[in-house]
Amino acid sequence: MGEWLEGRTLAEKIKEEIGKEVAYYREKIKKVPKLVGILVGDDPASKIYLSTKAKNCERLGISSEIFYLPENTSFNELAKKINKLNKDDEVDGILVQLPLPSHLDTFEVICAISPEKDVDGFHPHNLGKILHNEEGLRACTPLGIIELLKSNNIPLEGTRVVVIGRSLIVGKPLAAMLTNENATVTICHSKTRNLSEVASEADILIVAIGKPAFVTSNFVKEGAVVVDVGVNRVSDRNKIKELFGDNKEKEEQFEKKGYIIIGDVHPEVINKASYLTPVPGGVGPLTVAMLLKNTLKAFKKRNNLE
Ligand code: NAP
């Protein structure tokens, strides 16, 4: 049986270091980083994500503000708001919470954010910098995954990595970042043939597809490291029982919320992998920590503190 590769402890350590640096700048230059979030519409999950980010900022002494815009906000109205924040010298980081309502073009909205304040790392300028292997603001989830692997001394150089999922926020930037780390990377998606066969060649298998417990043991090479990025709400009691058996903790979570959060990887994989990241408590906490790290980085760059 493998070990759980949890991310909370590392995320706390990173946040503690950020907090210390923020306190230092508060004292030294009487300034702290500021992160602004924009939510268009009232998607409940997005609201929770944004308020978690704001609470984390507060804890570390980072200033934060959230703008709640109505669902029917036009692109021009949103772009005007973003532009104002781009020009605001007090603001170091801008994030527009995704997904956006369908009438808004995500690419156009991301392009409206100044690359130097793009703390999510989704702007084409920052994504392009990955391909050039140049310093820049990197997408938070891929950055967090690499930190987690490195901090557990899991070698990347020369390693065969398979990434399942090719989104712009996880799979694609992650594959490029791992290539920069000298890993040999294969990227898979919904059109990949013989997916389980390809996946089972991986020394490190990373799954970001949004399909609960999709990846089972037959996708995994004996002793592989498996990183589960998926965050899926499951409210089917039978499915929960099928996945976890008589698990008191999961049962209690279900009773409390009416659903539980599970990843894209079947829990049985722990019996075959050397390491598996838990969901929740694996990649998620690192994504938030990396957002705060990017905010500090943007602040330092903008204030010539590097
Ligand atoms: P996304 O934009 O929906 O992309 C999903 C990707 O998975 C696509 O490339 C899709 O392939 C691929 N895919 C879907 N079904 C597949 C299948 N049956 N076989 C192979 N590939 C398949 O998703 P995302 O934004 O990357 O998010 C993925 C998951 O990660 C979600 O559960 C999300 O909630 C979670 N997530 C977690 C964090 C965190 O911090 N923990 C951060 C971001 C995302 P095609 O391109 O061919 O359609």
Side-chain angles (χ1 to χ4, degrees):
M1 180 155 159
E3 280 178 50
W4 291 105
L5 192 60
E6 64 95 19
R8 281 202 178 112
T9 312
L10 177 62
E12 279 308 309
K13 192 172 153 241
I14 293 168
K15 287 195 269 184
E16 206 176 294
E17 281 159 13
I18 296 170
K20 279 187 194 153
E21 246 191 284
V22 171
Y24 170 79
Y25 289 122
R26 181 194 292 277
E27 181 70 28
K28 178 127 177 145
I29 60 165
K30 311 283 175 244
K31 263 183 170 180
V32 293
K34 178 168 181 178
L35 174 66
V36 173
I38 301 176
L39 177 64
V40 186
D42 51 12
D43 176 57
S46 293
K47 266 189 186 163
I48 295 172
Y49 286 140
L50 258 188
S51 73
T52 304
K53 289 166 188 171
K55 273 185 207 141
N56 271 278
C57 284
E58 199 182 316
R59 231 190 85 197
L60 306 190
I62 295 174
S63 163
S64 74
E65 195 172 359
I66 302 177
F67 291 99
Y68 295 95
L69 305 183
E71 177 86 23
N72 61 359
T73 301
S74 68
F75 173 73
N76 285 345
E77 287 165 326
L78 180 56
K80 210 169 143 192
K81 180 83 210 160
I82 294 172
N83 209 18
K84 202 169 163 207
L85 296 168
N86 284 340
K87 288 187 185 140
D88 186 339
D89 199 40
E90 297 293 304
V91 175
D92 300 291
I94 303 167
L95 75 86
V96 178
Q97 187 66 44
L98 302 179
L100 287 165
S102 56
H103 67 279
L104 292 168
D105 182 324
T106 305
F107 179 69
E108 279 187 21
V109 173
I110 288 169
C111 287
I113 301 170
S114 164
E116 61 164 10
K117 298 190 179 186
D118 165 43
V119 283
D120 265 334
F122 299 157
H123 192 288
H125 180 86
N126 286 318
L127 288 172
K129 278 191 166 181
I130 305 177
L131 300 187
H132 285 277
N133 202 2
E134 287 289 330
E135 185 66 28
L137 292 167
R138 298 284 194 259
C140 302
T141 304
L143 198 57
I145 293 168
I146 291 178
E147 284 267 351
L148 184 63
L149 295 171
K150 282 187 176 173
S151 76
N152 283 280
N153 300 317
I154 293 164
L156 297 174
E157 184 163 320
T159 301
R160 179 81 198 267
V161 184
V162 173
V163 178
I164 313 183
R166 57 174 164 181
S167 73
L168 270 171
I169 66 170
V170 189
K172 278 183 187 162
L174 177 60
M177 284 160 72
L178 288 164
T179 306
N180 292 342
E181 297 288 339
N182 296 321
T184 302
V185 186
T186 302
I187 182 153
C188 302
H189 44 76
S190 66
K191 306 289 186 290
T192 300
R193 288 196 205 111
N194 306 323
L195 182 62
S196 61
E197 218 172 277
V198 179
S200 63
E201 285 172 12
D203 303 311
I204 302 176
L205 175 64
I206 305 176
V207 192
I209 59 176
K211 298 251 155 31
F214 180 86
V215 166
T216 49
S217 290
N218 63 326
F219 285 68
V220 178
K221 180 167 83 176
E222 191 79 47
V225 173
V226 182
V227 176
D228 187 356
V229 187
V231 177
N232 308 290
R233 272 186 189 206
V234 174
S235 47
D236 175 350
R237 198 175 216 144
N238 292 331
K239 173 93 181 162
I240 297 167
K241 201 150 182 116
E242 180 196 313
L243 291 172
F244 298 100
D246 288 319
N247 183 316
K248 211 170 162 229
E249 192 191 331
K250 301 287 173 199
E251 190 61 34
E252 277 172 14
Q253 283 170 13
F254 179 77
E255 286 302 329
K256 211 165 140 193
K257 294 186 170 166
Y259 64 88
I260 66 163
I261 298 289
I262 70 163
D264 290 340
V265 176
H266 197 291
E268 70 179 18
V269 165
I270 190 70
N271 298 314
K272 200 166 180 193
S274 58
Y275 289 108
L276 171 61
T277 60
V279 177
V283 173
L286 284 161
T287 298
V288 178
M290 292 303 123
L291 174 73
L292 303 167
K293 200 170 174 178
N294 275 351
T295 305
L296 176 61
K297 187 177 173 140
F299 165 80
K300 283 162 73 174
K301 184 114 200 275
R302 294 185 62 254
N303 289 283
N304 298 315
L305 299 166
E306 284 185 314

